[in-house]
Amino acid sequence: MKILNVEDDHRIAELIKRGLEEEGYSVSSAHDAASGWELIDSDAFDLLIIDVMLPDMSGLDLCQKIRKKHPSLPILMLTALGTTDDKVEGFDSGANDYLVKPFDIRELSVRIRELLKRSQQFVSETPKVLKFGDLEMDTESKLVSRSGKEINLTPKEFALLQYMLQNPNKVLTRPEIAENVWETHFDTGTNFIDVYINYLRKKIDKNFSQKLIHTKPGMGFILKM
């Protein structure tokens, strides 16, 4: 498995490279967004690790740029900031997971394994079109519509809705959503999942009398009519 690490701190970049190569990965390093983009554009990687703070471009902006060309490439963001707003911003940019510095290389390795495993499962198991009532999602074209009206979603909103469409009429707990949509463990100190559920409600349900996304107090969320 080939991994690209975009990290401007040479010491951290070398620690990540050495630690992951001991796990059997092939790791390339870039120390700014421009160099990272050149490598991504010229080589095929299985996963990207991107630091939020880069000298020439925000890692979030780089992530958005990558997503336009590589919509399914797993991306793990590294940052020193770990508030709900920071995580939401990272996920909105297209990141699949978010790891706060400082971290143990063993935790990074676990996150990478989970991302790669889910990426492979996603490719093999996802049907092209998902439907629930008048809500429809095309997983290849990334188009979502309700009653024929197109709905624009961010990458993480799309992933959350996709998971709900794959599990209709089932109460989904916050830890379950965190694990399957964000490929991370649920942090009870943040409410980013509730934030994204509210984002979806505004786009999916707001202009329709039939509400599809419901809250089960103390339990989680459910897609039902």
Side-chain angles (χ1 to χ4, degrees), residues 1-168:
M1 289 290 184
K2 296 178 66 175
I3 294 174
L4 173 63
N5 179 32
V6 186
E7 166 65 66
D8 65 318
D9 187 315
H10 290 246
R11 183 185 64 85
I12 294 177
E14 183 57 32
L15 287 172
I16 291 174
K17 179 178 175 65
R18 190 162 61 240
L20 294 182
E21 285 181 342
E22 289 178 358
E23 296 280 339
Y25 297 107
S26 172
V27 182
S28 299
S29 299
H31 302 298
D32 55 51
S35 300
W37 178 253
E38 286 182 10
L39 287 171
I40 294 165
D41 212 29
S42 62
D43 204 348
F45 293 96
D46 298 293
L47 182 139
L48 307 178
I49 302 171
I50 301 175
D51 187 51
V52 169
M53 302 297 291
L54 297 172
D56 55 340
M57 177 192 288
S58 163
L60 302 175
D61 292 336
L62 176 60
C63 188
Q64 289 180 326
K65 185 177 180 180
I66 293 166
R67 273 288 167 256
K68 293 177 181 178
K69 190 169 184 179
H70 305 281
S72 60
L73 181 60
I75 299 176
L76 172 64
M77 300 294 293
L78 299 181
T79 182
L81 306 173
T83 68
T84 297
D85 287 344
D86 295 318
K87 291 183 178 181
V88 168
E89 190 175 11
F91 292 134
D92 274 348
S93 71
N96 298 94
D97 201 358
Y98 194 101
L99 190 57
V100 178
K101 297 177 180 178
F103 55 85
D104 191 303
I105 193 68
R106 292 171 296 181
E107 181 180 4
L108 177 62
S109 180
V110 168
R111 298 286 189 93
I112 288 171
R113 286 200 301 271
E114 286 298 312
L115 279 174
L116 291 172
K117 182 175 71 174
R118 294 184 189 285
S119 175
Q120 293 163 354
Q121 290 174 341
F122 178 84
V123 171
S124 62
E125 296 177 3
T126 303
K128 180 181 177 182
V129 178
L130 297 169
K131 294 182 179 180
F132 187 76
D134 58 353
L135 180 63
E136 184 171 317
M137 169 185 284
D138 189 313
T139 60
E140 292 188 358
S141 68
K142 306 301 181 185
L143 292 177
V144 176
S145 63
R146 185 165 181 192
S147 293
K149 181 181 178 181
E150 187 174 339
I151 299 170
N152 293 315
L153 301 178
T154 66
K156 267 308 172 203
E157 290 168 356
F158 186 94
L160 175 56
L161 181 60
Q162 179 174 322
Y163 184 63
M164 297 186 81
L165 282 167
Q166 290 171 326
N167 296 275

Side-chain angles (χ1 to χ4, degrees), residues 131-212:
K131 294 182 179 180
F132 187 76
D134 58 353
L135 180 63
E136 184 171 317
M137 169 185 284
D138 189 313
T139 60
E140 292 188 358
S141 68
K142 306 301 181 185
L143 292 177
V144 176
S145 63
R146 185 165 181 192
S147 293
K149 181 181 178 181
E150 187 174 339
I151 299 170
N152 293 315
L153 301 178
T154 66
K156 267 308 172 203
E157 290 168 356
F158 186 94
L160 175 56
L161 181 60
Q162 179 174 322
Y163 184 63
M164 297 186 81
L165 282 167
Q166 290 171 326
N167 296 275
N169 300 307
K170 174 186 175 184
V171 175
L172 304 173
T173 66
R174 290 171 179 81
E176 186 178 357
I177 292 172
E179 181 178 346
N180 288 281
V181 178
W182 276 268
E183 294 95 18
T184 188
H185 296 294
F186 179 60
D187 181 358
T188 55
T190 64
N191 65 336
F192 67 88
I193 291 176
D194 296 72
V195 170
Y196 274 93
I197 288 289
N198 287 332
Y199 286 166
L200 274 186
R201 280 199 174 110
K202 290 177 181 178
K203 295 183 177 182
I204 301 299
D205 283 340
K206 185 177 180 180
N207 297 318
F208 296 88
S209 58
Q210 174 71 65
K211 308 305 180 186
L212 300 180

